Amino acid sequence: MGRGVIVADRVAAFVVGVGLIAAGAGALAWRYDLIPDAPARLRFSWLPDATQTEWWPWATGAAGVLLVLIGLTWLIRHFRSRGVGRLQLLGSDHTGRLTADANAAATAAGHTLTRTAGVRSSTGRVVADRGQLVAELNLTIEPTADLGTVQAAAEQASHELHRIVGRDDLHHRVQLHVARHEETSARVR
């Protein structure tokens, strides 16, 4: 998700949340007669008249279509994949197009990191993040891992990935997750 979608979500959630809290508090206050001079029943005199007019079906239909479009837009914005499948490589021109499977290259880079002492597991993928192409390597390391060794291996894997893909606009992000417990090998008796 982009920052604009996140901001819009938070603002909408705040407005809807405050509105629901206010409506709920008002309903409870009305139910327990905490509002002075509140009527026993709510009546909207304009509502029966409005439903009998010619424009009412058109207005409710337009409101329904508008809500459906807003809902579909919301779903599309939230379920848009950030993943990058294939990257166009240098050397592509009108005679042909050279492409590479970006995620396979990132996965291979992550796999090479699992050979490093202290790295329990690793995954890799290439995503489009805020308009930039980013190779993400996620490492799970042992609590006793030497961070200098892991850093050197991650830098080497990132450099190799950059060299293999051959794209100058490829950025790298390495995230380290420390395992809660040291991995123990099985005992044989």
Side-chain angles (χ1 to χ4, degrees):
M1 274 189 294
R3 285 187 182 184
V5 174
I6 292 171
V7 169
D9 272 356
R10 289 182 180 165
V11 168
F14 178 76
V15 169
V16 169
V18 168
L20 289 174
I21 289 171
L28 284 173
W30 181 41
R31 166 71 176 96
Y32 291 108
D33 295 324
L34 299 175
I35 301 172
D37 300 326
R41 177 180 266 179
L42 293 177
R43 293 174 195 228
F44 299 103
S45 60
W46 57 270
L47 189 58
D49 294 336
T51 59
Q52 301 302 320
T53 62
E54 290 181 24
W55 59 266
W56 182 258
W58 293 99
T60 55
V65 168
L66 181 65
L67 288 174
V68 167
L69 289 175
I70 289 171
L72 287 174
T73 302
W74 185 85
L75 285 173
I76 289 168
R77 295 247 183 210
H78 281 80
F79 293 114
R80 183 176 45 182
S81 174
R82 296 182 332 139
V84 175
R86 302 197 73 73
L87 290 177
Q88 189 167 342
L89 302 175
L90 295 175
S92 298
D93 58 14
H94 69 282
T95 60
R97 194 160 92 180
L98 300 172
T99 61
D101 185 353
N103 288 323
T107 300
H111 181 68
T112 61
L113 286 170
T114 57
R115 296 184 204 135
T116 305
V119 177
R120 183 181 292 186
S121 65
S122 176
T123 60
R125 66 183 184 151
V126 177
V127 297
D129 187 12
R130 292 180 236 152
Q132 294 182 338
L133 198 58
V134 180
E136 291 182 344
L137 298 176
N138 294 305
L139 308 176
T140 302
I141 62 172
E142 300 294 340
T144 58
D146 178 23
L147 291 180
T149 304
V150 173
Q151 177 188 1
E155 287 176 356
Q156 179 64 29
S158 296
H159 177 70
E160 286 297 315
L161 178 60
H162 189 81
R163 185 186 62 77
I164 290 169
V165 173
R167 295 274 306 250
D168 292 333
D169 61 340
L170 182 65
H171 300 278
H172 303 278
R173 179 182 304 135
V174 178
Q175 296 178 338
L176 299 178
H177 305 279
V178 179
R180 292 184 184 261
H181 304 288
E182 185 77 28
E183 189 173 52
T184 57
S185 56
R187 280 186 172 179
V188 179
R189 291 185 184 216

